[in-house]
Amino acid sequence: MDRSFLSALESIVGRDGLVRDPAELRTYESDGLAKLRSCPGVVVLPRSAEEVQAVVRLCHGSGVPFVARGHGTGLSGGALPRPDGVLIVLTRLNRVLDIDIANQRITVEPGVPNLEVSRLVASERLYYAPDPSSQIICSIGGNVAENSGGAHCLKYGFTVHHVLGLEAVLPDGEMVHLGGPALDAPGLDLVGVVVGSEGTLAVVTKVTLRLLRKPEAVETLLAAFESTETAGNAVSGIIAAGIIPAAVEMMDRTTIEAAEAAVHPNFPKAEAVLIVELDGPAAEVRSLFDRVTGVCRESGAGVIQVAHDEAERARFWKGRKAAFAAMGRVSPSYYVQDGVIPRTKLPEVLGRIRKLEVESGLRIGNVFHAGDGNLHPLVCYDDRIPGQAELAQRVASEILTYCLDAGGSITGEHGVGADKADQMPKMFGPDDLDTMQLVRCAFDPRHLCNPGKVFPTPRLCGEVPGPYRRHPAEAAGLAERF
Ligand SMILES: Cc1cc2nc3c(=O)[nH]c(=O)nc-3n(C[C@H](O)[C@H](O)[C@H](O)COP(=O)(O)OP(=O)(O)OC[C@H]3O[C@@H](n4cnc5c(N)ncnc54)[C@H](O)[C@@H]3O)c2cc1C
């Protein structure tokens, strides 16, 4: 990288805010999707929004691409750095700026971990609802960029439903304030545009979040089934009964085994378990809980355990939330897929995945937000065996086809990132993609902000990034687009 550029960066973030040592740079070469790796040109660790702004301005002036990174737990390669670019790591922007209990909102910098928000307001019986399983570590900035979900998003909605306002640095270095402390700011919903844009439109430097009051009562049960299909039927049955639980999570035998080996939640031996949680006014929860128990029994649940206290509830959730990481106990490598289907299609799609498991010879664990129809098949492989990583990739891609066949989506919450950009044309036509590019280019006409993510562009070698323009070879009648 150009010396004068590097010294300009150093003058903004200081010597201890710049990482250039090749060994240290490797710390940042991937996010949670470790199969995609790329060493950043340089890493900066700014301490304030103003430093972020100065770095982005410098990149814009020098035509250098940049990528924002929170805590690096993303599972789609969204924070994958560029060897010719700057990685802006936001972990030092971790201050809590305002806690407004009366109005149930909190303003934080993007590096604050998700769970920290709920911890800070717990004594006031408030909490922050979106709860990704990575919530101990993942950052609010990353949650905003990915529009993260979690077990309780079935009832309470995703990150986008809980962000009131944002401060962000646009790709040309301008700092903007979107939304505000009140619900529903007038004008275009630019908060909605930035939330879920996977770091491609701006670098978020401040976030105002909505806090919810803790429910009066919470009841949680664990139901064991003899197949994922019957557990899937129970999920459909609960929703068809007009009940929206706070959470409905499913784990199959492979992921139960992994969780048992890692964190010992002492789940019953079964082909599938459901964790169903209801919350709200005590009288309502009591009556709905009996109906949920009834639906589980009618659907074939053999064992139903009810959490009688907070310790038992924590045991159920420990097993569920540790499941991804626990897969290391049953397989040297695994690929976490993330797709969505209408929940009525759960039995059908889970059946297809089982068949694929047999055909491919690769073990596939399933742990997921069943109430949302948000599947997380974990495709196990051994990368020491030649060809297995590629096979796992093909199997994971085939599962996305099942999701699309069922009328679903190629991602529920982990994002498109670098991993699934090539899958976007399976779901969207050229007009859809071009329209998305128009929005992106309105924010970032030079394509410097997290380039190469989300969109399958450039589509042809030699094509310029940005909205679709005919490739010179196309214009000359030498090539055509399919
Ligand atoms: C064990 C495990 C469990 C998980 N469970 C869930 C789950 O239940 N639900 C779920 O939704 N996700 C889950 N994830 C995925 C991941 O934790 C989330 O996507 C999370 O929001 C990423 O946050 P991060 O701080 O690690 O972001 P990073 O990985 O650092 O970045 C993610 C994306 O956000 C962008 N970004 C980060 N900070 C900013 C910023 N300040 N401004 C602009 N862009 C920014 C990056 O460029 C990148 O595109 C899980 C991951 C793991 C490893």
Side-chain angles (χ1 to χ4, degrees):
M1 255 182 174
D2 186 65
R3 259 171 200 276
S4 63
F5 178 79
L6 290 172
S7 66
L9 272 183
E10 190 174 312
S11 68
I12 297 168
V13 293
R15 181 162 293 189
D16 74 335
L18 198 71
V19 180
R20 289 184 57 197
D21 176 77
E24 288 181 39
L25 285 176
R26 293 199 61 184
T27 310
Y28 302 96
E29 69 182 2
S30 75
D31 59 10
L33 183 67
K35 72 173 174 123
L36 298 182
R37 287 166 194 267
S38 161
C39 220
V42 62
V43 169
V44 291
L45 295 146
R47 290 179 193 277
S48 66
E50 291 68 31
E51 287 187 9
V52 173
Q53 183 180 27
V55 169
V56 171
R57 236 184 220 145
L58 178 68
C59 289
H60 182 257
S62 314
V64 173
F66 55 91
V67 176
R69 175 178 161 120
H71 291 181
T73 66
L75 290 169
S76 57
L80 188 71
R82 301 259 308 197
D84 59 344
V86 177
L87 187 70
I88 305 174
V89 178
L90 293 142
T91 45
R92 287 181 176 175
L93 267 77
N94 60 0
R95 282 164 289 243
V96 176
L97 302 171
D98 184 45
I99 302 181
D100 181 351
I101 295 297
N103 291 300
Q104 292 186 209
R105 60 198 181 207
I106 184 168
T107 301
V108 297
E109 290 187 324
V112 169
N114 171 298
L115 193 59
E116 180 69 3
V117 175
S118 291
R119 204 188 57 76
L120 284 164
V121 294
S123 60
E124 304 289 340
R125 294 205 50 79
L126 296 176
Y127 75 111
Y128 175 59
D131 59 340
S133 303
S134 51
Q135 67 185 140
I136 297 175
I137 177 65
C138 66
S139 74
I140 289 295
N143 292 179
V144 167
E146 299 288 0
N147 187 21
S148 292
H152 292 81
C153 291
L154 170 63
K155 181 167 177 184
Y156 293 103
F158 284 67
T159 301
V160 70
H161 302 113
H162 299 269
V163 175
L164 295 170
L166 294 173
E167 176 188 90
V169 177
L170 297 181
D172 64 357
E174 186 186 352
M175 191 176 285
V176 293
H177 294 89
L178 308 176
L183 278 172
D184 198 14
L188 291 178
D189 180 10
L190 294 175
V191 171
V193 174
V194 171
V195 176
S197 62
E198 304 192 25
T200 61
L201 303 183
V203 182
V204 171
T205 48
K206 199 189 281 182
V207 191
T208 300
L209 300 167
R210 199 155 71 98
L211 300 170
L212 299 188
R213 193 147 295 289
K214 283 191 181 166
E216 185 190 357
V218 180
E219 291 282 359
T220 313
L221 67 76
L222 184 90
F225 293 84
E226 61 187 19
S227 71
T228 49
E229 287 77 7
T230 49
N233 285 332
V235 176
S236 298
I238 292 167
I239 307 285
I243 302 166
I244 302 292
V248 184
E249 299 286 299
M250 195 192 296
M251 294 171 69
D252 71 358
R253 187 161 54 87
T254 301
T255 55
I256 298 169
E257 266 174 39
E260 283 303 331
V263 295
H264 326 299
N266 201 18
F267 285 175
K269 287 211 171 3
E271 285 301 314
V273 295
L274 284 184
I275 298 174
V276 187
E277 188 157 281
L278 295 174
D279 67 10
E284 177 189 303
V285 169
R286 238 188 337 268
S287 109
L288 293 182
F289 201 68
D290 289 343
R291 285 170 62 194
V292 167
T293 312
V295 174
C296 288
R297 284 209 194 290
E298 281 157 27
S299 307
V303 178
I304 297 183
Q305 295 179 1
V306 176
H308 292 293
D309 53 30
E310 197 45 45
E312 255 183 309
R313 179 175 171 240
R315 171 171 70 84
F316 294 171
W317 282 114
K318 188 170 159 189
R320 163 61 185 94
K321 296 211 171 186
F324 280 7
M327 284 302 285
R329 300 283 179 144
V330 297
S331 175
S333 304
Y334 62 95
Y335 178 90
V336 182
Q337 187 52 285
D338 168 46
V340 185
I341 54 170
R343 57 187 161 239
T344 49
K345 302 272 185 171
L346 276 172
E348 175 192 321
V349 175
L350 290 173
R352 286 186 84 180
I353 295 174
R354 279 284 154 261
K355 216 166 141 234
L356 182 63
E357 181 175 33
V358 175
E359 282 163 13
S360 67
L362 295 185
R363 203 166 175 192
I364 305 176
N366 282 290
V367 51
F368 57 96
H369 310 308
D372 299 315
N374 184 188
L375 303 180
H376 290 319
L378 305 166
V379 183
C380 300
Y381 64 97
D382 186 341
D383 48 9
R384 293 163 302 189
I385 301 175
Q388 271 219 346
E390 293 74 18
L391 176 61
Q393 183 65 42
R394 284 199 300 280
V395 166
S397 175
E398 177 75 9
I399 293 172
L400 287 187
T401 316
Y402 302 165
C403 295
L404 291 174
D405 288 349
S409 158
I410 58 168
T411 173
E413 55 184 17
H414 296 168
V416 176
D419 189 36
K420 291 186 182 169
D422 62 344
Q423 304 275 350
M424 288 285 273
K426 287 190 183 166
M427 190 163 166
F428 298 105
D431 291 348
D432 303 318
L433 293 171
D434 286 350
T435 307
M436 290 183 209
Q437 284 289 7
L438 285 173
V439 176
R440 181 176 189 171
C441 290
F443 281 77
D444 183 21
R446 298 183 66 190
H447 263 231
L448 293 176
C449 188
N450 211 3
K453 310 289 168 60
V454 183
F455 300 104
T457 176
R459 302 168 182 87
L460 296 170
C461 165
E463 190 179 319
V464 258
Y468 172 70
R469 298 175 194 90
R470 292 185 86 199
H471 186 277
E474 241 186 306
L478 299 171
E480 65 180 304
R481 254 176 359 128
F482 297 99

